[in-house]
Amino acid sequence: MMSPGGVLENMMTLVGFEKLFLMLYDELELPGRIFDEVGQRTLFYYETTLAYNSLGLMIVEDDWAPILRCFFGTMPWRDMCISSTADL
């Protein structure tokens, strides 16, 4: 079973690339809450899927976008995105 995309990918799909970075400069709390919600829903998906005994393999995949990482400051990246994926 393939994952439904990673936390960062789903965040970019929901909010959009440009709006995400504007939120990071305008209000840090909002993107942090969105990252947390996306991370919780992704974790719920994995926990629900892993309950099936017939599941032979699960691939957890996320495009961490190494080229785009430099646009995040070190602290917002570490605090929001990475902390949202720690349980995955």
Side-chain angles (χ1 to χ4, degrees), residues 12-71:
M12 292 289 187
T13 301
L14 288 170
V15 177
F17 178 80
E18 215 172 284
K19 289 180 184 175
L20 173 61
F21 292 105
L22 289 173
M23 280 192 290
L24 287 172
Y25 286 106
D26 290 341
E27 183 182 355
L28 274 176
E29 186 179 325
L30 179 60
R33 289 192 344 231
I34 296 171
F35 268 115
D36 287 343
E37 291 296 325
V38 170
Q40 289 175 8
R41 283 167 174 75
T42 305
L43 181 60
F44 176 75
Y45 170 81
Y46 291 138
E47 290 172 342
T48 304
T49 305
L50 289 171
Y52 292 96
N53 292 331
S54 60
L55 183 68
L57 174 72
M58 175 171 271
I59 299 172
V60 178
E61 166 272 326
D62 195 353
D63 179 8
W64 285 91
I67 295 171
L68 303 177
R69 239 185 285 167
C70 63
F71 290 114

